[in-house]
Amino acid sequence: MAKTNLHSSPSSRRHFLAMTAAATAVASTSSLFAQQAKAAPFKISLAQWSLHKPLFAKQIDNLDFAKISKEKFGIEGVEYVNQFFKDKAKDEAYLSEMKKRAADFGVTSVLIMIDGEGALGDKDAAKRTTAVENHYKWVEAAKFLGCHSIRVNAQTNAEYEEGKKLAADGLRRLSEYAKPMGINVIVENHGGLSSNGKWLSETIRMTEMANCGTLPDFGNFYEYDRYQGVTDLMPLAKAVSAKSYDFDENGNETKIDFRKMMKIVLDAKYHGWVGIEYEGSKLSPDDGIIATKKLLEKCMDIV
């Protein structure tokens, strides 16, 4: 068999060079994609509560939240708070406008944080049922908007063990309602017994519902060690809230070790949305959001 001589055929040589260039381009692109995937172990979203001051002051409007998130902060995931459209849960025209604006700016609606709808662990059975049913409209709104979850509170007026059973009952019933719609019911450590990581994780497990989980918040643990609390809650997490208050001259949070927290988050094999929730007073809401985003971006190299 005669050997191919690349120098003897210009067309063969051109074909060889073209193939080599294409292979190099594919390899380079694959390498770039691999680097990008490695560099983004989680996605950054914006919790609407970060802007609660200008929202309550009517300086900005709920309908502009997706636009503000994307254009001002470069953030493509939003976490709504029901307080800012409290009477709109069943207003299809309003929800349609929210959905349209998010789509127009390429923003993902991640979840809705629900407050003020009653205690899901109330000792009074009738009040507990009312609280469960009060949340139904928000499950439906979350489904309509394309969210994956509603964040609720495991509020109870009972003591540790009884409170766990009662809260699990309310959460289970709400999760059963949400399950056919593909919506998760997730609980944040948000005061009372829920700020005890052990209590909350045990309560969620007691529901025996796969769509009932947690939203670990870096703050809100009070007397319970915050790092232990996040460790307790991460195995059940379907979202994460990166709470921040204040920053030092190096851009680090003064109360919370973000690298330590994000190591706990990533060690739990969580790679979903991590929501910025700035709650400080020294920086403006805008500057606090920007500072928190920069700090989270510094944590992207954690493995």
Side-chain angles (χ1 to χ4, degrees):
M1 181 182 294
K3 289 197 268 188
T4 301
N5 186 344
L6 292 175
H7 295 286
S8 65
S9 172
S11 62
S12 296
R13 178 171 174 75
R14 282 196 300 273
H15 178 71
F16 173 79
L17 293 174
M19 292 295 289
T20 301
T24 301
V26 170
S28 297
T29 301
S30 298
S31 177
L32 178 61
F33 285 157
Q35 290 172 5
Q36 290 174 337
K38 184 177 181 182
F42 58 91
K43 298 175 288 185
I44 297 175
S45 52
L46 179 60
Q48 195 170 22
W49 189 253
S50 298
L51 294 166
H52 71 275
K53 291 178 182 178
L55 280 160
F56 281 132
K58 307 298 182 183
Q59 295 168 350
I60 59 176
D61 186 82
N62 174 65
L63 287 174
D64 292 322
F65 180 43
K67 177 182 179 181
I68 291 168
S69 180
K70 180 66 174 289
E71 291 195 336
K72 184 174 282 189
F73 305 112
I75 297 173
E76 299 180 346
V78 291
E79 302 176 10
Y80 302 105
V81 174
N82 74 328
Q83 295 182 54
F84 302 118
F85 57 114
K86 185 76 172 180
D87 60 342
K88 306 295 186 183
K90 294 184 177 181
D91 188 332
E92 188 169 333
Y94 187 89
L95 295 178
S96 293
E97 185 64 20
M98 284 179 66
K99 186 173 183 177
K100 178 182 180 298
R101 294 196 189 192
D104 286 347
F105 289 95
V107 169
T108 299
S109 296
V110 178
L111 56 86
I112 309 175
M113 297 186 178
I114 313 302
D115 298 299
E117 295 292 2
L120 291 169
D122 201 300
K123 286 194 288 187
D124 185 303
K127 290 181 179 179
R128 190 164 69 254
T129 295
T130 297
V132 170
E133 294 175 351
N134 283 347
H135 284 80
Y136 287 173
K137 61 183 177 290
W138 293 111
V139 172
E140 294 161 7
K143 173 67 175 177
F144 184 87
L145 290 171
C147 301
H148 67 62
S149 301
I150 61 168
R151 187 279 281 147
V152 304
N153 298 300
Q155 184 181 354
T156 181
N157 51 359
E159 296 302 318
Y160 193 101
E161 289 298 334
E162 183 188 5
K164 189 163 55 176
K165 294 174 184 177
L166 294 174
D169 173 66
L171 290 167
R172 181 188 304 109
R173 286 192 278 157
L174 180 55
S175 298
E176 287 170 348
Y177 181 81
K179 184 178 179 180
M181 286 177 263
I183 298 296
N184 299 309
V185 174
I186 59 178
V187 185
E188 178 184 354
N189 45 300
H190 209 207
L193 285 169
S194 76
S195 290
N196 179 310
K198 183 174 185 291
W199 181 89
L200 184 53
S201 60
E202 289 174 348
T203 299
I204 299 301
R205 288 190 172 92
M206 193 176 287
T207 70
E208 297 183 333
M209 295 294 295
N211 66 319
C212 188
T214 62
L215 190 161
D217 186 300
F218 292 176
N220 300 348
F221 282 105
Y222 311 112
E223 297 177 4
Y224 199 88
D225 180 81
R226 68 177 78 247
Y227 305 102
Q228 181 59 51
V230 172
T231 300
D232 293 340
L233 301 180
M234 277 312 303
L236 300 161
K238 298 182 185 297
V240 171
S241 185
K243 178 69 63 60
S244 60
Y245 303 97
D246 195 16
F247 303 85
D248 62 22
E249 63 277 7
N250 297 315
N252 293 313
E253 219 289 334
T254 58
K255 295 182 179 180
I256 302 166
D257 184 336
F258 262 55
R259 289 192 69 83
K260 183 174 181 178
M261 280 298 194
M262 289 308 301
K263 182 71 163 56
I264 294 170
V265 168
L266 295 173
D267 281 351
K269 309 301 182 187
Y270 178 87
H271 300 289
W273 295 99
V274 175
I276 292 171
E277 191 172 56
Y278 173 66
E279 208 171 55
S281 56
K282 293 184 178 180
L283 295 178
S284 69
D286 286 6
D287 289 342
I289 291 167
I290 291 168
T292 310
K293 185 186 179 193
K294 288 180 179 177
L295 188 49
L296 282 173
E297 287 171 342
K298 289 180 182 177
C299 296
M300 290 286 185
D301 63 349
I302 297 173
V303 294

